Amino acid sequence: MLKNINLICISFKSIFLYRNSMTFSSEFIINTPKGPRKIGVGYPCFIVAELSANHGGELSKALEVVEAAAKAGADAIKVQTYTADSLTLNSDKEAFIVKNKDNPEEWKGQTLYSLYEKAYTPWDWHAILKKRAEELGLVFFSTPFSLKDADKLATLDVPMYKVASYEATDIPLLKQVAAKDKPIIMSVGFASEEEIDYSVKVLEDVGCKDLVILHCVTAYSRNPDYHQLNLSTMWDIHHKYNVISGFSDNNGGIKVPIQAAIMGAAIIEKHVVASREDAVLDKNFSIDMEEFAEMVKQIRLAEQISGKVVYGCQNEKEEQNKKYRRSLWAAKEIMEGEIFSSENVRVVRPSIGGLEPKYYELVLGKIAARRIEFAEPITEEDVVDFQIAKNNYVSGISFRKAEEKDCKNLFDWRCDPVTDSFSPGLAPTFEGHKDWFAKSLVNSNREILIIENNDLNSLGTVRFDVMPKHESLIQGKKIVVISININPAFRGRGVGKKSLNLAINYARDNLAVNIIQADIMPDNSVSVKLFKSSGFYQYFKDIDNPNKELLSFLYLCDLE
């Protein structure tokens, strides 16, 4: 799909055409020792215990961590698959010496090669650890650090692969891992937006469908600076790249991963150590099993509190109290034939039997159909011609194609002062409008629709103009430009929102379009809000000139 998108998508990297056309799944299933497990937004957080170098070079210690992680409630144990030779060169030149002032003391002064020689997990442990993990119900997977490491992991049939932050820009490795046709979890600590853009595109081009991107802060601190964690990036990743997102925590403490889970992290990865007393390389930024168990407990509690999406009454007690909402009541005795007014109708509690408050303004000025006592609810039957008034006020809508008889209405709506103030160019003369309208009715690249309600009142108009191919943003894709103008007499009643949603479906079903474009004056905040709320994304034609005359908004129907 992305092969059909030209370079314009790169010049304004935030445009949805590039990122929102990505084909990654919003959830995926892996087979676990406990059965199939869904990972994605809305499912329980998948909690990963990271062994890293906390085995101290002893298989027994590694097994101890696996067993403790299972007992503490982890969903998975993750290891790291590498040798010193697959990560670096055996050199003692200055560039290869670990000496950052904030690095763990256990690392400082060592060459990268010597550090990794101590930290690596021997390959012959992998099958042993995997077997024990699965006996305990844990998922076992790993982070490969070279092409050979990825191939070796494939022989163990791991259910997914992890890519470390340091390797998120290692394009050959990304291609190798993506070719395994398994879900990929990629940390992106250090990576800029441009680097993530490129890496994500590489994974997609190779065929990756199931991708999780983890926001990652790699300070390796026992006491992290909360101001530097920026967990909002995690959710931004989810929206920008249309992927599942989560958090990889390379710091001590449990407050931050709990907060990340509350914010919607689908996966949490946390470094663990069997005991704080262990002499292991990564203990400075790892948590012990008591802390890990508490973290799992708090995350699961937060999930219970978050619950599921439920609108309306949440329980039986709320259902009982619902009657104390408001409705329309007679504030004084109302005689048959009397006009409803703010003096004799009030919106008060309770809501037993009366009309909903949304009908208050509709009822005002209408005629009472019977005598209504004080403190009696006002119902539909109490209002003369209520159904007719209701249809005119909040009716369903439909489209019909414009006809010659509609010419004058369209002219009047276009010349309305509000419409004119938000329209580019000068208002037309009636003669000029008639000529334009006549030509429009026979123009195969233009379709004008009239918005009607159930009583066949004309509520406004929707126009579609097919964009010439040479002006199309994406070669070979059909784009129509939409214009909506509501009859001034029906503004403020939700007609615009209903009409736009209906127009989107109409264009998709009847015009076979790929993209719908709307051009709006910058100061027309009402229209901007309307189109954004209906799924349109702002498109910057010229990112260096944001103050152009019109703002363009795009709705993606289909790029296949």
Side-chain angles (χ1 to χ4, degrees):
M1 184 185 302
L2 285 175
K3 293 177 181 177
N4 296 325
I5 300 181
N6 57 26
L7 293 178
I8 195 168
C9 298
I10 298 174
S11 67
F12 46 95
K13 56 183 180 296
S14 62
I15 175 71
F16 83 100
L17 285 175
Y18 174 73
R19 289 170 175 162
N20 284 38
S21 63
M22 293 177 177
T23 57
F24 301 112
S25 57
S26 59
E27 62 183 58
F28 60 86
I29 300 175
I30 61 170
N31 291 319
T32 80
K34 297 179 180 179
R37 172 68 185 270
K38 286 187 176 181
I39 295 176
V41 176
Y43 297 103
C45 182
F46 191 76
I47 302 175
V48 180
E50 165 65 74
L51 174 63
S52 65
N54 287 332
H55 49 67
E58 299 177 10
L59 176 58
S60 60
K61 180 62 67 177
L63 287 168
E64 182 183 352
V65 172
V66 172
E67 292 165 0
K71 185 177 180 180
D75 294 304
I77 187 80
K78 191 188 77 63
V79 302
Q80 298 177 354
T81 305
Y82 66 87
T83 63
D85 288 305
S86 67
L87 270 178
T88 190
L89 302 175
N90 190 1
S91 172
D92 60 2
K93 291 183 177 180
E94 185 176 359
F96 292 83
I97 304 295
V98 179
K99 56 184 178 180
N100 289 345
K101 66 182 181 67
D102 293 326
N103 284 150
E105 292 299 323
E106 294 86 353
W107 298 5
K108 291 180 181 178
Q110 299 191 60
T111 66
L112 291 174
Y113 192 91
S114 64
L115 179 62
Y116 298 144
E117 273 194 318
K118 298 173 184 176
Y120 86 108
T121 302
W123 173 248
D124 57 5
W125 293 8
H126 282 56
I128 299 172
L129 295 174
K130 182 174 186 288
K131 181 175 182 295
R132 184 58 180 144
E134 292 176 348
E135 289 173 349
L136 297 169
L138 293 178
V139 172
F140 175 92
F141 69 112
S142 183
T143 304
F145 288 82
S146 73
L147 307 186
K148 289 183 179 180
D149 296 332
D151 289 339
K152 288 162 69 175
L153 278 176
T155 66
L156 290 179
D157 193 28
V158 291
M160 51 190 172
Y161 291 81
K162 171 73 192 302
V163 175
S165 289
Y166 292 90
E167 278 63 47
T169 56
D170 185 343
I171 302 307
L173 178 61
L174 294 180
K175 291 181 178 180
Q176 187 83 346
V177 172
K180 304 301 180 186
D181 196 28
K182 294 287 182 71
I184 295 173
I185 303 171
M186 181 172 69
S187 292
V188 291
F190 316 115
S192 66
E193 278 193 72
E194 290 79 6
E195 289 171 330
I196 298 173
D197 285 344
Y198 193 85
S199 294
V200 168
K201 186 177 185 303
V202 166
L203 292 173
E204 185 184 41
D205 286 347
V206 177
C208 175
K209 293 293 188 293
D210 302 323
L211 176 63
V212 183
I213 297 181
L214 304 185
H215 175 54
C216 182
V217 179
T218 53
Y220 304 118
S221 173
R222 178 63 190 156
N223 299 298
D225 183 345
Y226 296 140
H227 294 91
Q228 298 176 356
L229 297 176
N230 300 312
L231 286 184
S232 294
T233 308
M234 177 185 70
W235 203 235
D236 195 58
I237 287 170
H238 168 69
H239 288 290
K240 277 184 176 167
Y241 298 100
N242 283 329
V243 297
I244 302 165
S245 63
F247 181 60
S248 176
D249 192 13
N250 291 338
N251 294 286
I254 65 174
K255 289 183 179 179
V256 180
I258 292 171
Q259 177 65 25
I262 291 171
M263 292 174 65
I267 293 180
I268 294 291
E269 180 186 53
K270 189 71 178 176
H271 289 255
V272 295
V273 63
S275 169
R276 183 67 57 202
E277 305 304 318
D278 290 345
V280 290
L281 287 169
D282 294 345
K283 70 175 183 179
N284 182 62
F285 55 91
S286 301
I287 58 174
D288 63 26
M289 287 304 166
E290 184 177 345
E291 292 176 292
F292 188 82
E294 182 62 21
M295 181 190 79
V296 174
K297 176 183 175 182
Q298 293 300 324
I299 289 174
R300 298 307 180 212
L301 175 60
E303 289 171 345
Q304 290 181 36
I305 296 171
S306 295
K308 58 185 178 181
V309 176
V310 176
Y311 293 97
C313 293
Q314 305 293 312
N315 51 55
E316 185 178 347
K317 291 181 180 179
E318 280 198 6
E319 192 67 49
Q320 293 172 0
N321 290 327
K322 183 179 178 181
K323 66 182 180 181
Y324 297 118
R325 299 198 305 174
R326 294 182 176 232
S327 63
L328 270 62
W329 291 81
K332 57 175 64 175
E333 183 181 32
I334 303 172
M335 304 306 295
E336 181 179 351
E338 188 175 344
I339 302 297
F340 290 109
S341 69
S342 60
E343 297 295 321
N344 56 25
V345 178
R346 287 188 60 192
V347 177
V348 297
R349 299 181 183 185
S351 62
I352 302 173
L355 286 167
E356 296 176 67
K358 67 181 180 181
Y359 295 118
Y360 175 72
E361 293 178 350
L362 181 152
V363 168
L364 296 184
K366 302 301 184 293
I367 300 172
R370 67 175 181 89
R371 175 181 169 273
I372 306 170
E373 294 182 1
F374 166 71
E376 188 176 349
I378 297 174
T379 67
E380 291 187 17
E381 291 74 21
D382 297 333
V383 183
V384 173
D385 293 332
F386 176 82
Q387 284 298 328
I388 294 176
K390 179 181 175 183
N391 289 338
N392 286 339
Y393 192 70
V394 286
S395 65
I397 62 170
S398 60
F399 292 154
R400 66 168 174 82
K401 292 191 176 182
E403 306 170 27
E404 290 183 10
K405 66 179 181 180
D406 300 306
C407 182
K408 182 63 166 60
N409 276 342
L410 265 66
F411 176 75
D412 291 341
W413 300 340
R414 166 60 183 85
C415 295
D416 170 73
V418 174
T419 301
D420 188 50
S421 67
F422 293 124
S423 300
L426 300 175
T429 63
F430 185 61
E431 290 303 317
H433 172 77
K434 283 198 302 182
D435 181 60
W436 170 87
F437 187 72
K439 292 178 180 178
S440 294
L441 292 181
V442 295
N443 185 345
S444 61
N445 289 320
R446 173 172 293 158
E447 185 154 347
I448 301 177
L449 304 173
I450 302 301
I451 309 164
E452 290 187 333
N453 64 4
N454 295 340
D455 289 333
L456 303 183
N457 291 320
S458 295
L459 312 184
T461 180
V462 174
R463 191 178 87 224
F464 295 106
D465 290 287
V466 178
M467 182 175 287
K469 289 184 178 180
H470 70 275
E471 295 182 15
S472 178
L473 299 174
I474 304 177
Q475 188 175 3
K477 301 304 177 184
K478 183 178 179 180
I479 299 179
V480 296
V481 179
I482 187 173
S483 303
I484 294 182
N485 192 10
I486 304 303
N487 178 347
F490 286 90
R491 288 176 186 160
R493 305 182 184 183
V495 176
K497 178 71 172 179
K498 291 181 180 180
S499 300
L500 179 54
N501 291 336
L502 187 62
I504 292 170
N505 292 331
Y506 183 92
R508 183 189 291 117
D509 297 340
N510 297 284
L511 304 180
V513 302
N514 302 113
I515 295 172
I516 305 172
Q517 176 173 328
D519 295 325
I520 305 172
M521 296 289 284
D523 56 349
N524 190 351
S525 59
V526 173
S527 290
V528 168
K529 181 179 179 180
L530 169 65
F531 279 85
K532 282 186 174 181
S533 69
S534 295
F536 282 71
Y537 293 79
Q538 188 170 354
Y539 155 57
F540 295 96
K541 290 181 179 178
D542 182 359
I543 201 166
D544 296 323
N545 181 24
N547 296 317
K548 56 187 179 298
E549 183 180 10
L550 294 173
L551 301 178
S552 291
F553 293 83
L554 307 178
Y555 185 95
L556 178 64
C557 294
D558 179 22
L559 282 182
E560 294 290 347

